Amino acid sequence: MEKFVIEGGRPLKGEIKVSGSKNATLPILAATLLTDSVCEIRNVPKLRDTWTMCKLLRALGKTVDISGNQVTVSGSANTHVADYKLVSTMRGSFCVLGPLLAKLGKAKVSMPGGCVIGVRPIDLHLKGILALGAKANFEAGNVMATASRLRGAQMYLGGTFGSSVLATANVMMAASLADGQTIIESAACEPEIEELGNFLSDMGVKIEGQGTPRIVINGVKKLNGTSYKIGSDRIEAGTFLLMAVAAKGDIVVKDACYNHLLALIDKLHYVGVEVRKDGSDIRVRCKRTLRPANVVTHPHPGFPTDLQAQYMALMAITPGVSIITDRVFPDRFMHIAELNRMGAQIRRDIGSAIVEGVKHLYGAPVMASDLRASAALVIAGLVARGKTEIYRIYHLDRGYENLDQKLVQLGAKVSREKE
Ligand code: UD1
């Protein structure tokens, strides 16, 4: 296993290019199961999670060629069974349920189970496919879904914590090959859902409203192949903005979609950071002492849960008190204990963290627990006095392409070493 070693205290300067979006890539790769024709997906980030999805497609019978950042998928799915070994390593792989069911009339997909960010139910995924006429039951830790023919239907897909990204994706893919019209009310509005809708549209599906709470899909008999470029990763871009702010930097984040990050940028403006849109780039500059601000995460366009941990690392070194509440994953606070080991003053309350900003964090050995929590530890390491060692960085490699190299390019002192 590898670790990151960070010598803190260097301001970040220069330009960095954002990679393709991980969360857009995963359902789009799954959607290639809907056709036997060739799909060419460009700007795919080189990450553990995207390779896991490629492995899963291969295990399902597809031919997958990887060349740099391009993935070409061809051939036909020849089994409806998505194995526990692959699905359990990545929750995102559950989005093969909808396309397998639509294409093969059945799908057996291992239930993803919980993870460190909390219980991860699948009721909305099931509600969606049942509304389309499928039958589903549980068998030895798997969901077994069958349907001789899926039929379009109107459905309400809102849950206790708002909309669900991957449940919306699963239903969109299943509805693409269903008879008639499907209307998803309270659909997830995340940009990654908009991208999936655009990809399905390129494949010949008649779809409207992707990126809004009401998606209308008119199913077709057969989908064609296509060539598609994945958009840039808004969470990676947001993470770089927060890294630059925390490390009192001045950077340009290239190929970053400003409009997808409005909730974060609004907060950064409030706390006293200069953030400017410059064509398809974002410039961020931070020289002065900031003021604290509370944050509550919500589904898009609200403040993303996937930036909550990184924002907490910034508040940990901002004088004053801030309250951070996660309404999407109320238990997503594994990073608190590790940040406190570096000198942060953060207390956990029900669904919230109370952060008292300190003057300095101090380097320490810390343990990455999940993808975004690890990014928060990197931010803490960049600003801490002394050396920080972050163990289990395979979590970071799941979602950030070449993070260490990109940080070095910005002037940070980061190295990847054997544990
Ligand atoms: C996706 C993202 C993940 C992000 C999350 C929320 C991918 C691969 N992952 O995960 O990075 O943190 O969106 O923006 O795109 N829920 C239910 N029932 C369900 C499904 C979900 O109650 O059937 C709840 C969840 O427990 C959570 C909330 O809905 O409280 C949102 O989860 P969801 O949008 O489904 O997350 P994912 O799609 O798994």
Side-chain angles (χ1 to χ4, degrees):
M1 278 204 272
E2 293 178 317
K3 63 178 177 181
F4 270 6
V5 180
I6 306 177
E7 293 283 349
R10 295 181 163 218
L12 300 186
K13 282 203 180 73
E15 288 186 353
I16 202 71
K17 189 175 173 313
V18 177
S19 299
S21 162
K22 167 179 89 73
N23 286 354
T25 301
L26 297 178
I28 283 176
L29 284 174
T32 64
L33 290 164
L34 292 164
T35 181
D36 299 333
S37 304
V38 180
C39 293
E40 195 181 84
I41 322 290
R42 291 169 284 125
N43 201 30
V44 171
K46 291 183 204 154
L47 300 169
R48 275 172 78 102
D49 277 10
T50 44
W51 299 153
T52 302
M53 184 54 95
C54 290
K55 265 197 222 163
L56 180 57
L57 292 180
R58 283 191 184 124
L60 292 168
K62 302 288 274 185
T63 302
V64 182
D65 292 314
I66 301 168
S67 164
N69 290 95
Q70 181 170 312
V71 176
T72 307
V73 188
S74 55
S76 312
N78 58 19
T79 169
H80 65 285
V81 183
D83 189 49
Y84 174 73
K85 274 199 201 112
L86 286 169
V87 178
S88 62
T89 59
M90 182 182 75
R91 215 194 126 79
S93 41
F94 196 66
C95 64
V96 298
L97 177 74
L100 281 179
L101 176 66
K103 188 71 173 46
L104 302 178
K106 53 188 174 176
K108 184 174 172 183
V109 184
S110 177
M111 278 167 67
C115 67
V116 291
I117 72 174
V119 184
R120 310 277 299 256
I122 54 165
D123 56 309
L124 297 172
H125 299 252
L126 297 183
K127 185 178 179 186
I129 60 165
L130 293 180
L132 295 176
K135 292 195 169 66
N137 54 49
F138 300 103
E139 254 177 33
N142 299 301
V143 174
M144 180 68 206
T146 52
S148 49
R149 196 73 207 129
L150 292 171
R151 275 186 205 86
Q154 183 171 29
M155 66 186 79
Y156 176 77
L157 221 52
T160 318
F161 300 99
S163 53
S164 161
V165 177
L166 290 180
T168 303
N170 258 328
V171 175
M172 285 164 77
M173 293 187 273
S176 296
L177 284 175
D179 289 335
Q181 188 174 74
T182 296
I183 302 176
I184 309 174
E185 307 280 5
S186 197
C189 302
E190 269 67 5
E192 296 76 28
I193 288 295
E194 193 176 342
E195 281 219 48
L196 174 63
N198 297 342
F199 181 70
L200 292 171
S201 167
D202 286 358
M203 292 175 93
V205 181
K206 297 186 187 87
I207 179 164
E208 278 172 25
Q210 60 268 32
T212 78
R214 186 172 205 262
I215 303 177
V216 181
I217 301 162
N218 287 294
V220 291
K221 292 256 173 296
K222 199 171 165 206
L223 302 192
N224 51 259
T226 186
S227 174
Y228 185 87
K229 184 177 176 209
I230 302 283
S232 70
D233 194 308
R234 67 191 166 104
I235 303 300
E236 187 196 3
T239 303
F240 274 115
L241 295 182
L242 286 162
M243 284 174 171
V245 174
K248 295 276 175 278
D250 181 351
I251 70 167
V252 174
V253 184
K254 302 200 68 76
D255 268 356
C257 187
Y258 189 94
N259 291 348
H260 291 166
L261 285 165
L262 289 180
L264 171 68
I265 291 168
D266 183 61
K267 206 49 82 175
L268 290 178
H269 283 155
Y270 176 86
V271 301
V273 180
E274 252 182 78
V275 191
R276 234 177 341 105
K277 183 175 188 311
D278 190 359
S280 60
D281 306 335
I282 302 177
R283 167 132 190 224
V284 63
R285 194 154 46 158
C286 180
K287 295 280 172 250
R288 55 180 151 141
T289 306
L290 303 178
R291 58 172 168 162
N294 299 344
V295 145
V296 181
T297 71
H298 285 293
H300 192 76
F303 194 98
T305 175
D306 284 351
L307 288 173
Q308 179 258 106
Q310 302 91 310
Y311 181 81
M312 191 183 294
L314 173 66
M315 286 299 104
I317 46 144
T318 301
V321 176
S322 54
I323 300 174
I324 298 175
T325 307
D326 202 314
R327 290 245 197 274
V328 180
F329 292 113
D331 292 322
R332 190 176 202 172
F333 288 121
M334 292 291 283
H335 38 285
I336 294 179
E338 296 304 291
L339 290 172
N340 283 350
R341 294 189 67 249
M342 298 177 70
Q345 295 277 338
I346 308 171
R347 274 179 295 124
R348 172 84 197 268
D349 206 344
I350 301 164
S352 298
I354 299 156
V355 187
E356 281 179 57
V358 294
K359 258 204 158 122
H360 300 292
L361 294 178
Y362 297 91
V366 286
M367 196 72 83
S369 58
D370 76 70
L371 170 57
R372 308 304 172 186
S374 320
L377 297 179
V378 173
I379 295 180
L382 290 171
V383 300
R385 293 189 158 181
K387 183 166 95 174
T388 298
E389 290 174 310
I390 305 179
Y391 291 87
R392 297 196 191 161
I393 54 157
Y394 56 85
H395 288 294
L396 280 168
D397 294 333
R398 282 190 43 215
Y400 291 96
E401 191 179 45
N402 301 331
L403 181 61
D404 43 339
Q405 289 162 35
K406 287 183 179 179
L407 285 170
V408 168
Q409 196 182 321
L410 290 173
K413 204 162 174 217
V414 180
S415 58
R416 181 184 284 262
E417 297 176 11
K418 288 260 170 285
E419 273 190 11

